[in-house]
Amino acid sequence: MSVSSAAPSRVSAPTQADLLDFVRRIAADAALIASLPLDPEGRTWVRLEGPGGSEAWLIGWPPGTGTGWHDHADSVGAFMTASGELTEHSLAARLPTDGWKTLELTGGVDRERRLPAGQGRAFGRHHVHEVLNESPDRHAVSVHAYYPPLPRIRRYSRSGDVLRLEQVERPADWQ
């Protein structure tokens, strides 16, 4: 007599590497990138089906636009520039996750990364950054993926070394 005790298979959550691989593949899809309607004044976006239940977006960036300082709370993520060039300013510091409104940053935490087409990055939970299209005359397009799907985005203002929590957005605010 043969007994099989096969357990039901579970799909594992996508890792940062999985998300980076996904955004790289999507950014290489020239037809999809070209299909995004671009607005000369504001960012445009289309929601995509991400791997393993992740949330994904195709985003168009007019010249001179950016996100402002923010994080993605408990989600890990990745993004890739598909056309144009983006700049990411980030903080190389682990910030408290909750319970603060104003934080004085220590010196040496600022990082800047230029991301031309075909370049991107993955990031962990509570990664604080801002993404900008600093071009004076050219749109940029990027692909972003997050897992778990974004439970909230915390928006910050920054003055010198002082970071202030300004707003907490929930999915209903951007979908």
Side-chain angles (χ1 to χ4, degrees):
M1 174 167 135
S2 162
V3 176
S4 174
S5 61
S9 65
R10 288 193 181 145
V11 176
S12 61
T15 64
Q16 291 176 44
D18 295 332
L19 296 174
L20 187 59
D21 182 56
F22 169 79
V23 298
R24 183 175 289 117
R25 284 192 324 272
I26 298 300
D29 184 339
L32 178 62
I33 300 311
S35 74
L36 180 68
L38 299 176
D39 182 315
E41 310 233 347
R43 287 190 298 152
T44 55
W45 54 87
V46 172
R47 188 159 183 176
L48 305 171
E49 187 70 32
S54 63
E55 179 174 346
W57 299 88
L58 181 61
I59 300 176
W61 306 75
T65 59
T67 61
W69 287 95
H70 67 283
D71 71 17
H72 304 99
D74 295 317
S75 297
V76 298
F79 71 99
M80 174 84 48
T81 305
S83 69
E85 179 177 279
L86 294 173
T87 300
E88 179 196 38
H89 297 132
S90 63
L91 300 177
R94 185 131 184 104
L95 302 181
T97 56
D98 288 306
W100 63 276
K101 295 283 186 196
T102 303
L103 191 66
E104 188 162 343
L105 303 169
T106 59
V109 298
D110 288 295
R111 300 291 181 266
E112 180 177 307
R113 183 178 271 126
R114 298 223 178 262
L115 301 163
Q119 297 292 309
R121 72 178 315 257
F123 53 86
R125 290 169 170 71
H126 309 290
H127 174 71
V128 177
H129 68 166
E130 68 174 346
V131 180
L132 309 160
N133 176 4
E134 296 179 318
S135 171
D137 57 6
R138 186 168 179 213
H139 267 80
V141 176
S142 58
V143 182
H144 303 247
Y146 311 99
Y147 187 85
L150 296 172
R152 60 187 170 164
I153 293 176
R154 292 179 289 217
R155 298 212 175 265
Y156 306 97
S157 64
R158 181 153 181 207
S159 178
D161 289 336
V162 177
L163 189 69
R164 284 187 178 80
L165 176 64
E166 297 290 343
Q167 179 180 0
V168 178
E169 295 177 1
R170 307 260 180 231
D173 297 324
W174 67 80
Q175 293 182 357

